[in-house]
Amino acid sequence: MGHFVIVGILVVVMAVLTYFGLDATGLATQMHPVAASAQAAPIDQLWHWEVMVISFLFALIVVPIGYSLTVFRQKKGEMLDGEHMEGNASLEIAWTVVPLIIVVIFAYFGAYSLGEVRRVDANAMIINVTGQQFSWTFEYPEYGFVTTELYLPVDRQVVLKMQSNDVIHSFWVPEFRVKQDVVPGRITEYRITPTLEGSYKVRCAELCGTSHAYMESPVVVVDSAAYDAWVVEQVKIAEESKTPEGQGKLLATKNGCIGCHSVDGAAMTGPTWFGLYGSEVKLADGSTVTADDAFIAQSILEPTVTVVEGYPPVMPPYVLTDEEISNLIAYIKTLK
Amino acid sequence: MKGFFSSALARGLFWQVIGTLVGAGLVTGIRALMGLSATDTFFFTEPAWVLGGFTGTLFFLVGSGVTADWIKWMRGIDTPDHHEDHHTGAAKYINVSLDHKVIGIQYTLVALVLIAVGGLFALIFRTELAASELQFLTTDMKLFGQNGPQLYNTLMSLHGMIMIVSILLGIAGIMNYVVPLLLGAADMAFPRLNAFSYWIAVPAAVLLLSSLVLGGFDTGWTGYPPLSARAPVGMQMFFLGVFVAGWSSILGSLNILVTVVRMRARGMNAMRMPILVWASIATSLIALTATQFIGLSFQLVMFQRLFGMGFFDPAKGGNPVLFQHLFWFYSHPAVYVFILPGLGVISELLPVFVRKPLFGYRWIAMSSLGIALVGFLVWAHHMFTSGMNEYLRVPFMYSTLLVAVPTGVKFFSWVATIWKGRISTPTPMLFVLGGIIVFLLGGLTGPPNATISTDLHLHDTYFIVGHFHDTIFGGFVFPFFAAIYYWFPKATGRRMNETLGKLHFWLMTPSFFVLTFGMMYIGLIGMRRRIADYDPALGIDGAHLVLTIAAFLIATSVLIFFYNFINSIRNGEKAEGNVWNSRSPEWQVPSPMPAHNYERPFEVVGEPYDYGLNDSGFVKFIEEPAKGKH
């Protein structure tokens, strides 16, 4: 009986040590980054319970093995057999039934937690989100403007209606805890109530191609006064962008052009637009052309025909009207 | 060297190249006649490469000679039923043999080669991850028509699938070598099919690797469309490689099942079979019935690309989420295919080294079948964030958590087996114990992924990466090494060096704990899966550096293993007897064993694991040589 008592005590000690060890690294009471949404609370709570059970089960298996290895070890040169012990049906039934009960309890908590996370507020604000290789755009239908930053008022539920222009992406803000894939051909929903003001990032979590790692956009949670001021400013910008250049800039954002083409000369997946108009461009086939209206229009409509030297032929063709193309060119002209 | 060029392997590879050119040339010719473009970025067009890959595989199989007997039968020529090997020494392993022991070793050797290749890929991208920003896989670099980040994606994706194929070959190696010996059979039920199952895996591996030089692919091993419908032609070689490797798995598992049903020694009823046989049954049942689904899902994407069929293209009414259901219907049960033989090895070896019966034999045997069964009902837990029906997620959470029950039975039974045993820890036992602990970590980090709300955070992060590396190392890699150290003397008559074996273990295990714990830690913080670069603002540069160092330590330990393995074949200490003092039948006869195994058949007279019971034996050899068609 002595062995069981010692092992019992050691299991408890080990379980407590494991739990506090995880707590010391900051992993026990919450999943790591700061929790910034109402939905994070039930998720972190469930995680905390799971860490407790994990700590206990870890100790329950590791301690008897470690104890046996130390105490019941074959001594050097010894070649003895152990006790002939074939099994014990009641023990086996116990360690089948007890885990079964624990599992069902956890599944219940899991379902309950999911219910909390999906709790619907009828007054939630709707924002349309579009994912494309390799950028996010956010449309505020109430006000009719489009941005590349997601501004959210604190303590108000928002529903993101998400769609993809090309492949599968996944919308994840680690601080919000929730993740939802964005699938071409359907609209998926992401419901969140930000609770903590601050600057975060949405990070695409589903591999979507070459620059997947960089498919990140700012997510800013502000108080309602600051949010209203931001909306007024965005509406003003949208008014001002009724010019061809402004419309072009909007198109570049909406279609995700700026996910691959920088506007300040920085190196990205595609050639930069900075100083592009009127410049001499060397193509992959060795020829050199001047980046005029015709060249830019062709590069949008048939991108594989005019691949610039040193860049992969990965741009899909875009179907735009003549007016949209001339607006885009007007915008590119301003980038000098 | 001359021997190599005339070997089945060399002939097969030669004919694979010829076959590829024939198939690709045919398509190119037809295209030219139709006035379509004949060449593309990688010389041939995509349809030409696909048909070439297919005909290359057929040419390999015929060229290597593995189908020779079947072809003779079709022509009405008889071949001897009872095959003897014409090759000796190393030549045996690069030529067609029908001996299950040779085939088992062939499988194991290819698995080890692929582990080395997949591991090398991992080291390359792990090095790139050591610090944020791109260091050498930059956008400026160019290799095989890919820039740095594209090459990163290709290497990361190939690491996944190469390792999976390596595992499938590794478990096939263990099962092929050991199961007939445990059953007292002279060979597998279908020796020619057995050789075929092995040899078809070789062109499959070549196809998979060829994707690296044909533009690569950037989808991860999962190959989700629409991304995989847009990837370069390397994607098709990947799909084709997996499709062909699937045949190996399906036919191999069929062979195992028939062998177990039909070829057991006298007296070996179901509850007296060695426990590894039960695990092999469970794993083969899954592989036989589920592998078709990954083949099917990949084939549908191949056809979408080749013929414009819109299975998964929303613009044509297709559904990208449907692919994920088809894919995971195999690929989740597949992880149980990977681990069940490993768990069987743990259960098989534990009693030998603790000198005690396996605690709860029946429960462990049934838990393997339980895991196999429940494993078919959980696939959608990979899709909690995919946009599938919201309410369907809940039943999948229940079924997923249910896997914990049979898995728990195994753990508790192992602990009870070890309890009060007279334990010794030579190298195989160290890897068994390491496997138990590592698999425990994998098991314990599973439930947070199963409960949907916590998974919404964890999905597609490094937490998952850490979790499944724990399950696969604990369920396959550690037991695989244990099996190699344990049965090496059976195969060669020599044992591997103990000191180097222990060094391998003590270098690999702590490094591995650091690696996976670190992965889970950075995953919680916000490190996503499958990214070439990460935001320095996350503050995980230091953690990544530690992970990279740990990865290199693991690689060093595996190099030590390779040296030990190769060196011990010629120079290992002689060990022709019952090295481990085991009750198992294969250890009751001298090593290495001849073709057709036991010279005298045996009869089962007791329980397999009755250690500690005086005057009991598991098997008794029958004095009269067996009569009949042997």
Coordinates of all heavy atoms in Angstrom, one line a residue, chain A residues 33 50 54 68 72-74 78-86 92 95 107 111 113 118 172 177 179-181 186 201 203-207 209 213-214 216, chain B residues 218-220 319 355-356 360 363 385-387 390 397-398 412-413 420-423 425 444 448 451 453 456-457 459-460 524 528 533 535 581 610-612:
Chain A
P33 N -2.2 36.4 -26.1 CA -2.2 37.8 -26.2 C -3.4 38.4 -25.4 O -4.3 37.7 -25.0 CB -2.4 38.1 -27.7 CG -2.9 36.9 -28.3 CD -2.5 35.8 -27.4
E50 N -9.3 23.6 -19.0 CA -8.6 22.6 -19.8 C -7.2 22.5 -19.3 O -6.7 21.3 -19.1 CB -8.7 22.8 -21.3 CG -10.1 22.4 -21.8 CD -10.3 22.8 -23.3 OE1 -9.5 23.7 -23.8 OE2 -11.2 22.3 -23.9
I54 N -5.5 19.1 -17.9 CA -4.3 18.7 -18.5 C -3.2 18.5 -17.5 O -2.5 17.5 -17.5 CB -3.8 19.7 -19.6 CG1 -4.8 19.6 -20.8 CG2 -2.4 19.4 -20.1 CD1 -4.6 20.7 -21.9
S68 N 8.0 4.1 -11.0 CA 8.4 2.7 -11.3 C 9.8 2.6 -11.8 O 10.5 1.7 -11.5 CB 7.4 2.2 -12.4 OG 6.1 2.3 -11.9
F72 N 11.3 0.4 -9.1 CA 11.2 -1.0 -9.5 C 12.3 -1.4 -10.6 O 12.1 -2.4 -11.3 CB 9.8 -1.3 -10.0 CG 8.7 -0.9 -9.1 CD1 7.7 -0.1 -9.6 CD2 8.8 -1.3 -7.8 CE1 6.7 0.3 -8.7 CE2 7.7 -0.9 -6.9 CZ 6.7 -0.1 -7.4
R73 N 13.3 -0.6 -10.7 CA 14.3 -0.8 -11.7 C 15.0 -2.1 -11.5 O 15.3 -2.6 -10.4 CB 15.3 0.3 -11.6 CG 15.9 0.7 -12.9 CD 16.9 1.8 -12.7 NE 17.7 1.9 -13.9 CZ 17.2 2.3 -15.0 NH1 16.0 2.9 -15.1 NH2 18.0 2.3 -16.1
Q74 N 15.3 -2.8 -12.6 CA 16.2 -4.0 -12.6 C 17.6 -3.6 -12.2 O 18.1 -2.7 -12.8 CB 16.2 -4.6 -14.0 CG 16.7 -6.0 -14.1 CD 15.5 -7.0 -14.0 OE1 15.3 -7.7 -13.0 NE2 14.7 -7.1 -15.1
E78 N 20.9 -8.1 -12.8 CA 19.7 -8.8 -12.4 C 18.9 -9.2 -13.6 O 18.9 -8.5 -14.6 CB 18.8 -7.9 -11.5 CG 18.4 -8.5 -10.2 CD 17.6 -7.5 -9.4 OE1 16.9 -6.6 -10.0 OE2 17.7 -7.5 -8.2
M79 N 18.2 -10.4 -13.6 CA 17.4 -10.7 -14.7 C 16.1 -11.4 -14.2 O 15.8 -12.5 -14.4 CB 18.2 -11.7 -15.6 CG 17.7 -11.8 -17.0 SD 17.7 -10.1 -17.8 CE 16.1 -10.1 -18.6
L80 N 15.4 -10.6 -13.4 CA 14.2 -11.1 -12.7 C 12.9 -10.7 -13.5 O 12.9 -9.8 -14.2 CB 14.1 -10.5 -11.3 CG 15.2 -10.9 -10.3 CD1 15.1 -10.1 -9.0 CD2 15.2 -12.4 -10.1
D81 N 11.9 -11.5 -13.2 CA 10.6 -11.2 -13.8 C 9.8 -10.4 -12.8 O 10.0 -10.6 -11.6 CB 9.9 -12.5 -14.2 CG 10.3 -13.0 -15.6 OD1 11.2 -12.3 -16.2 OD2 9.9 -14.0 -16.0
G82 N 8.9 -9.6 -13.3 CA 8.0 -8.9 -12.4 C 6.8 -9.8 -11.9 O 6.8 -11.0 -12.2
E83 N 6.0 -9.2 -11.1 CA 4.8 -9.9 -10.6 C 3.9 -10.3 -11.8 O 3.7 -9.5 -12.7 CB 4.0 -8.9 -9.7 CG 3.2 -9.6 -8.7 CD 2.5 -8.5 -7.8 OE1 3.3 -7.6 -7.2 OE2 1.3 -8.4 -7.7
H84 N 3.3 -11.5 -11.7 CA 2.4 -11.9 -12.8 C 1.0 -11.3 -12.6 O 0.3 -11.8 -11.8 CB 2.4 -13.4 -12.9 CG 1.6 -13.9 -14.1 ND1 0.3 -14.3 -14.0 CD2 1.9 -14.0 -15.4 CE1 -0.2 -14.6 -15.1 NE2 0.8 -14.5 -16.0
M85 N 0.8 -10.2 -13.3 CA -0.4 -9.5 -13.1 C -1.0 -9.2 -14.5 O -0.5 -8.4 -15.3 CB 0.0 -8.1 -12.4 CG -1.1 -7.2 -12.0 SD -0.5 -6.1 -10.7 CE 0.9 -5.3 -11.4
E86 N -2.1 -9.9 -14.8 CA -2.6 -9.9 -16.2 C -3.6 -8.8 -16.5 O -3.8 -8.4 -17.7 CB -3.3 -11.2 -16.6 CG -2.3 -12.3 -16.8 CD -2.9 -13.5 -17.5 OE1 -4.1 -13.7 -17.4 OE2 -2.1 -14.2 -18.2
E92 N -10.2 -1.6 -15.5 CA -10.3 -1.2 -16.9 C -11.7 -0.5 -17.1 O -11.8 0.5 -17.8 CB -10.2 -2.4 -17.8 CG -8.9 -3.1 -17.7 CD -7.8 -2.4 -18.6 OE1 -8.1 -1.4 -19.3 OE2 -6.6 -2.9 -18.6
W95 N -11.4 3.0 -15.7 CA -10.7 4.1 -16.5 C -11.3 4.1 -17.9 O -10.7 4.8 -18.8 CB -9.2 4.0 -16.4 CG -8.5 2.7 -16.9 CD1 -8.7 2.1 -18.0 CD2 -7.5 2.1 -16.2 NE1 -7.9 1.0 -18.1 CE2 -7.1 1.0 -17.0 CE3 -6.8 2.3 -15.0 CZ2 -6.1 0.1 -16.6 CZ3 -5.8 1.4 -14.6 CH2 -5.4 0.3 -15.4
A107 N -17.5 18.3 -23.3 CA -18.2 18.6 -24.5 C -19.3 19.5 -24.3 O -19.6 20.5 -25.0 CB -18.6 17.3 -25.2
A111 N -19.8 23.2 -25.8 CA -20.9 23.7 -26.6 C -21.5 25.0 -25.9 O -21.9 25.9 -26.6 CB -22.0 22.6 -26.6
S113 N -19.8 27.2 -24.2 CA -18.9 28.2 -24.5 C -19.1 28.7 -25.9 O -19.1 29.9 -26.2 CB -17.4 27.7 -24.3 OG -16.5 28.6 -24.7
R118 N -21.1 32.9 -29.8 CA -21.9 33.2 -31.0 C -23.2 34.0 -30.6 O -24.0 34.3 -31.4 CB -22.4 31.9 -31.6 CG -21.3 31.1 -32.2 CD -20.7 31.8 -33.4 NE -21.6 31.9 -34.5 CZ -21.6 32.9 -35.4 NH1 -20.7 33.8 -35.3 NH2 -22.5 33.0 -36.3
W172 N -8.4 36.5 -38.8 CA -8.0 36.2 -37.4 C -7.4 37.4 -36.7 O -6.4 37.9 -37.2 CB -7.0 35.0 -37.3 CG -6.6 34.6 -35.9 CD1 -7.5 34.5 -34.8 CD2 -5.4 34.2 -35.5 NE1 -6.8 34.1 -33.7 CE2 -5.5 33.9 -34.1 CE3 -4.1 34.1 -36.1 CZ2 -4.4 33.5 -33.3 CZ3 -3.0 33.6 -35.3 CH2 -3.2 33.3 -33.9
R177 N -9.5 36.4 -30.3 CA -9.6 35.0 -30.1 C -10.3 34.2 -31.2 O -10.2 33.0 -31.3 CB -10.2 34.6 -28.8 CG -9.5 35.0 -27.6 CD -8.2 34.3 -27.4 NE -7.6 34.7 -26.1 CZ -6.9 35.7 -25.9 NH1 -6.5 36.5 -26.9 NH2 -6.4 36.0 -24.7
K179 N -11.6 33.2 -35.1 CA -11.1 33.0 -36.5 C -12.2 32.5 -37.3 O -13.0 31.7 -36.9 CB -9.9 32.0 -36.4 CG -9.1 31.8 -37.6 CD -8.1 30.8 -37.4 CE -6.9 31.3 -36.5 NZ -6.8 30.4 -35.3
Q180 N -12.3 33.0 -38.6 CA -13.3 32.5 -39.5 C -12.7 32.6 -40.9 O -12.2 33.6 -41.3 CB -14.6 33.4 -39.4 CG -15.6 33.0 -40.4 CD -16.1 31.6 -40.3 OE1 -16.5 31.2 -39.2 NE2 -16.0 30.8 -41.4
D181 N -12.9 31.4 -41.6 CA -12.4 31.4 -43.0 C -13.3 32.3 -43.9 O -14.5 32.5 -43.7 CB -12.4 30.0 -43.6 CG -11.3 29.1 -43.0 OD1 -10.6 29.6 -42.1 OD2 -11.2 28.0 -43.4
R186 N -19.2 32.3 -51.2 CA -20.2 32.4 -50.1 C -19.8 33.5 -49.2 O -18.7 34.0 -49.2 CB -20.3 31.1 -49.4 CG -19.0 30.6 -48.7 CD -19.3 29.4 -47.8 NE -19.5 28.2 -48.6 CZ -19.8 27.0 -48.1 NH1 -20.0 26.9 -46.8 NH2 -19.9 26.0 -48.8
K201 N -4.0 43.7 -35.2 CA -3.9 43.4 -36.6 C -4.7 42.2 -37.0 O -4.8 41.2 -36.2 CB -2.4 43.1 -37.0 CG -1.6 44.3 -37.4 CD -0.2 43.8 -37.7 CE 0.7 45.1 -38.0 NZ 2.1 44.7 -38.1
R203 N -4.8 39.0 -39.2 CA -3.7 38.3 -39.8 C -4.4 37.1 -40.6 O -5.1 36.3 -40.0 CB -2.7 37.7 -38.8 CG -2.1 38.8 -37.9 CD -1.3 38.2 -36.8 NE -0.9 39.3 -35.8 CZ 0.1 40.1 -35.9 NH1 0.9 40.0 -36.9 NH2 0.4 40.9 -34.9
C204 N -4.1 37.0 -41.9 CA -4.7 35.9 -42.7 C -4.2 34.6 -42.1 O -2.9 34.4 -42.1 CB -4.4 36.0 -44.1 SG -5.1 34.6 -45.1
A205 N -5.0 33.7 -41.7 CA -4.6 32.4 -41.1 C -4.7 31.2 -42.0 O -4.4 30.1 -41.6 CB -5.4 32.2 -39.8
E206 N -5.2 31.4 -43.3 CA -5.3 30.2 -44.2 C -4.3 30.5 -45.3 O -4.5 31.5 -46.0 CB -6.7 30.1 -44.7 CG -6.9 28.9 -45.6 CD -6.8 27.6 -44.9 OE1 -7.4 27.4 -43.9 OE2 -6.0 26.7 -45.5
L207 N -3.4 29.6 -45.5 CA -2.4 29.8 -46.6 C -3.0 30.2 -47.9 O -3.9 29.5 -48.4 CB -1.6 28.5 -46.8 CG -0.5 28.4 -47.8 CD1 0.5 29.5 -47.6 CD2 0.1 27.1 -47.9
G209 N -1.1 31.8 -50.6 CA -0.1 32.0 -51.7 C 1.2 32.7 -51.3 O 1.5 32.7 -50.1
A213 N 2.1 35.5 -45.7 CA 2.6 36.0 -44.4 C 2.3 37.5 -44.2 O 2.2 37.9 -43.1 CB 4.1 35.7 -44.3
Y214 N 2.2 38.2 -45.3 CA 2.1 39.7 -45.2 C 0.7 40.2 -45.3 O 0.4 41.4 -45.4 CB 3.0 40.4 -46.3 CG 4.4 39.9 -46.1 CD1 5.0 39.2 -47.1 CD2 5.2 40.3 -45.0 CE1 6.3 38.7 -47.0 CE2 6.5 39.9 -44.9 CZ 7.1 39.1 -45.9 OH 8.3 38.7 -45.7
E216 N -1.7 41.2 -43.7 CA -2.1 41.7 -42.4 C -2.6 43.1 -42.6 O -2.1 43.9 -43.4 CB -0.9 41.7 -41.5 CG -0.3 40.3 -41.2 CD 0.9 40.4 -40.3 OE1 1.7 41.4 -40.4 OE2 1.1 39.5 -39.5
Chain B
D218 N 2.1 25.9 -53.7 CA 2.2 26.7 -52.5 C 0.9 26.5 -51.6 O 0.4 27.5 -51.0 CB 2.3 28.2 -52.8 CG 1.3 28.6 -53.8 OD1 0.4 27.8 -54.1 OD2 1.3 29.8 -54.2
T219 N 0.5 25.3 -51.5 CA -0.8 25.1 -50.8 C -0.7 24.4 -49.5 O -1.7 24.2 -48.8 CB -1.7 24.2 -51.7 OG1 -1.1 22.9 -51.9 CG2 -1.9 24.8 -53.0
G220 N 0.5 24.0 -49.1 CA 0.6 23.1 -47.9 C 0.2 21.7 -48.4 O -0.2 21.5 -49.6
N319 N -18.0 23.9 -55.1 CA -18.0 24.2 -53.7 C -16.7 23.9 -53.0 O -16.3 22.7 -52.9 CB -19.1 23.4 -53.0 CG -19.2 23.7 -51.5 OD1 -18.4 24.4 -50.9 ND2 -20.3 23.3 -50.9
R355 N 9.3 -7.1 -17.9 CA 9.2 -8.5 -17.4 C 7.9 -8.8 -16.7 O 7.9 -9.3 -15.6 CB 10.4 -8.9 -16.5 CG 11.8 -8.4 -16.9 CD 12.2 -8.9 -18.3 NE 12.1 -10.4 -18.4 CZ 12.1 -11.0 -19.6 NH1 12.2 -10.3 -20.7 NH2 12.0 -12.3 -19.7
K356 N 6.8 -8.3 -17.3 CA 5.5 -8.4 -16.7 C 4.5 -8.6 -17.8 O 4.7 -8.1 -18.9 CB 5.1 -7.2 -15.9 CG 5.1 -7.3 -14.4 CD 4.6 -6.0 -13.8 CE 3.1 -6.0 -14.0 NZ 2.5 -4.6 -13.8
G360 N -4.2 -5.8 -19.2 CA -5.5 -5.6 -19.9 C -5.3 -5.8 -21.4 O -5.7 -4.9 -22.2
W363 N -8.3 -5.2 -23.5 CA -8.8 -3.8 -23.6 C -7.9 -3.0 -24.5 O -8.4 -2.2 -25.3 CB -8.7 -3.2 -22.2 CG -9.8 -3.8 -21.3 CD1 -9.7 -5.0 -20.7 CD2 -11.1 -3.3 -21.0 NE1 -10.9 -5.2 -20.0 CE2 -11.7 -4.2 -20.2 CE3 -11.7 -2.1 -21.4 CZ2 -13.0 -4.0 -19.7 CZ3 -13.0 -1.9 -20.9 CH2 -13.6 -2.8 -20.1
T385 N -13.5 26.3 -38.5 CA -13.5 27.7 -39.0 C -13.8 27.8 -40.5 O -13.7 28.8 -41.0 CB -12.2 28.4 -38.6 OG1 -11.2 27.9 -39.5 CG2 -11.8 28.2 -37.2
S386 N -14.1 26.7 -41.1 CA -14.1 26.6 -42.6 C -15.4 27.3 -43.2 O -15.4 27.5 -44.4 CB -14.1 25.2 -43.1 OG -15.3 24.6 -42.8
G387 N -16.4 27.5 -42.4 CA -17.6 28.0 -43.0 C -18.6 26.9 -43.2 O -19.7 27.1 -43.8
E390 N -22.8 25.7 -39.1 CA -22.3 26.0 -37.7 C -22.7 24.9 -36.7 O -22.0 24.6 -35.8 CB -23.1 27.2 -37.3 CG -22.3 28.5 -37.7 CD -22.7 29.6 -36.8 OE1 -22.5 29.4 -35.6 OE2 -23.3 30.6 -37.3
M397 N -17.6 17.8 -32.3 CA -16.8 18.1 -31.0 C -17.0 16.9 -30.1 O -16.0 16.4 -29.5 CB -17.3 19.3 -30.3 CG -16.7 19.5 -28.9 SD -17.2 21.0 -28.2 CE -18.9 20.9 -28.1
Y398 N -18.2 16.4 -30.0 CA -18.5 15.2 -29.1 C -17.7 14.0 -29.6 O -17.0 13.3 -28.8 CB -20.0 14.9 -29.1 CG -20.7 15.6 -28.0 CD1 -21.3 16.9 -28.3 CD2 -20.9 15.1 -26.8 CE1 -22.0 17.6 -27.3 CE2 -21.6 15.8 -25.8 CZ -22.1 17.0 -26.1 OH -22.8 17.7 -25.1
F412 N -3.5 4.2 -19.5 CA -3.7 3.6 -18.1 C -3.1 2.2 -18.1 O -2.5 1.7 -17.2 CB -5.1 3.7 -17.7 CG -5.6 5.1 -17.5 CD1 -6.7 5.5 -18.1 CD2 -4.9 5.9 -16.6 CE1 -7.2 6.9 -17.9 CE2 -5.4 7.2 -16.4 CZ -6.5 7.7 -17.0
S413 N -3.4 1.4 -19.2 CA -2.9 0.0 -19.3 C -1.4 0.0 -19.3 O -0.8 -0.9 -18.7 CB -3.5 -0.7 -20.5 OG -4.9 -0.7 -20.4
K420 N 5.4 -1.8 -10.9 CA 6.0 -3.0 -10.3 C 6.6 -4.0 -11.2 O 6.8 -5.1 -10.9 CB 4.9 -3.7 -9.4 CG 4.5 -3.0 -8.2 CD 3.9 -3.9 -7.1 CE 3.7 -3.1 -5.8 NZ 2.9 -3.9 -4.9
G421 N 6.9 -3.5 -12.4 CA 7.7 -4.3 -13.3 C 9.2 -4.3 -12.9 O 9.6 -3.4 -12.2
R422 N 10.0 -5.3 -13.4 CA 11.4 -5.2 -13.1 C 12.0 -4.6 -14.4 O 12.4 -5.3 -15.3 CB 12.0 -6.6 -12.9 CG 11.2 -7.4 -11.9 CD 11.4 -6.9 -10.5 NE 12.9 -6.9 -10.1 CZ 13.3 -6.7 -8.8 NH1 12.4 -6.4 -7.9 NH2 14.6 -6.8 -8.6
I423 N 12.1 -3.3 -14.3 CA 12.4 -2.5 -15.6 C 13.8 -2.4 -15.9 O 14.6 -2.1 -15.0 CB 11.8 -1.1 -15.4 CG1 10.3 -1.2 -15.0 CG2 11.9 -0.3 -16.7 CD1 9.8 0.0 -14.3
T425 N 16.3 -0.6 -19.1 CA 16.2 0.4 -20.1 C 17.3 0.4 -21.2 O 18.0 1.4 -21.3 CB 16.1 1.8 -19.5 OG1 17.2 2.0 -18.7 CG2 14.8 2.1 -18.8
L444 N -2.8 15.2 -24.7 CA -3.3 16.2 -23.7 C -3.5 17.5 -24.4 O -4.4 18.3 -24.0 CB -2.4 16.4 -22.5 CG -2.3 15.2 -21.6 CD1 -1.3 15.4 -20.5 CD2 -3.6 14.9 -21.0
P448 N -8.1 20.9 -26.3 CA -8.3 22.3 -26.6 C -8.6 22.6 -28.0 O -9.3 23.6 -28.4 CB -7.1 23.0 -26.1 CG -6.5 22.1 -25.1 CD -6.8 20.7 -25.6
T451 N -12.6 21.2 -28.5 CA -13.7 22.1 -28.1 C -13.7 23.3 -29.0 O -12.7 24.1 -29.1 CB -13.5 22.5 -26.6 OG1 -12.2 23.0 -26.4 CG2 -13.7 21.4 -25.7
S453 N -14.8 26.4 -29.3 CA -14.6 27.8 -29.1 C -13.1 28.1 -28.9 O -12.5 29.0 -29.4 CB -15.4 28.3 -27.9 OG -15.0 27.6 -26.7
L456 N -11.2 28.0 -32.2 CA -11.4 29.2 -33.0 C -10.1 30.1 -32.9 O -9.7 30.7 -33.8 CB -12.6 30.1 -32.6 CG -13.9 29.4 -32.8 CD1 -15.1 30.3 -32.4 CD2 -14.1 29.0 -34.3
H457 N -9.4 30.0 -31.7 CA -8.2 30.7 -31.6 C -7.0 29.9 -32.1 O -6.1 30.4 -32.7 CB -8.0 31.1 -30.1 CG -6.7 31.9 -29.8 ND1 -6.5 33.1 -30.4 CD2 -5.7 31.6 -29.0 CE1 -5.3 33.6 -30.0 NE2 -4.8 32.7 -29.1
H459 N -6.8 27.2 -34.2 CA -6.8 26.6 -35.5 C -5.8 27.4 -36.4 O -5.7 28.6 -36.3 CB -8.2 26.7 -36.1 CG -8.3 26.1 -37.5 ND1 -8.3 24.8 -37.7 CD2 -8.4 26.7 -38.7 CE1 -8.4 24.5 -39.0 NE2 -8.4 25.7 -39.6
D460 N -5.0 26.6 -37.2 CA -4.1 27.2 -38.2 C -3.0 28.1 -37.5 O -2.4 29.0 -38.1 CB -4.8 28.1 -39.2 CG -5.2 27.2 -40.4 OD1 -4.5 26.2 -40.7 OD2 -6.1 27.6 -41.1
L524 N 0.1 30.3 -29.5 CA -0.8 31.0 -28.6 C -0.6 32.5 -28.8 O -1.6 33.2 -28.8 CB -0.7 30.6 -27.2 CG -1.3 29.2 -26.8 CD1 -0.8 28.8 -25.4 CD2 -2.8 29.3 -26.9
R528 N 1.1 32.2 -37.0 CA 0.3 31.4 -37.8 C 1.1 30.3 -38.5 O 2.3 30.4 -38.6 CB -0.3 32.3 -38.9 CG -1.2 33.4 -38.4 CD -1.4 34.4 -39.5 NE -0.3 35.3 -39.6 CZ 0.0 36.0 -40.7 NH1 -0.7 35.9 -41.8 NH2 1.1 36.8 -40.8
D533 N 7.4 34.3 -43.0 CA 8.0 35.5 -42.3 C 6.9 35.9 -41.2 O 5.7 35.6 -41.4 CB 8.2 36.6 -43.2 CG 9.0 37.8 -42.6 OD1 9.4 37.6 -41.4 OD2 9.1 38.9 -43.2
D535 N 5.6 38.8 -38.1 CA 5.7 40.2 -37.6 C 6.6 40.3 -36.4 O 6.4 39.7 -35.4 CB 4.2 40.6 -37.2 CG 4.1 42.1 -36.9 OD1 5.2 42.8 -36.8 OD2 3.0 42.5 -36.7
N581 N 15.6 -11.5 -24.5 CA 15.0 -12.5 -23.6 C 13.5 -12.4 -23.7 O 12.7 -12.3 -22.7 CB 15.4 -12.2 -22.1 CG 15.1 -13.3 -21.2 OD1 14.8 -14.4 -21.7 ND2 15.1 -13.1 -19.9
D610 N 3.0 -13.8 -20.9 CA 3.0 -14.4 -19.5 C 4.4 -14.3 -18.8 O 4.9 -15.3 -18.3 CB 2.5 -15.8 -19.5 CG 1.1 -15.9 -19.1 OD1 0.5 -14.9 -18.6 OD2 0.4 -16.9 -19.4
Y611 N 5.0 -13.1 -18.8 CA 6.3 -13.0 -18.0 C 6.0 -13.1 -16.6 O 4.9 -12.7 -16.1 CB 6.9 -11.6 -18.3 CG 7.3 -11.5 -19.8 CD1 6.5 -10.9 -20.7 CD2 8.6 -12.0 -20.2 CE1 6.9 -10.7 -22.0 CE2 9.0 -11.9 -21.5 CZ 8.1 -11.3 -22.4 OH 8.5 -11.2 -23.7
G612 N 6.9 -13.7 -15.8 CA 6.7 -13.8 -14.4 C 5.9 -15.1 -14.0 O 5.6 -15.3 -12.9

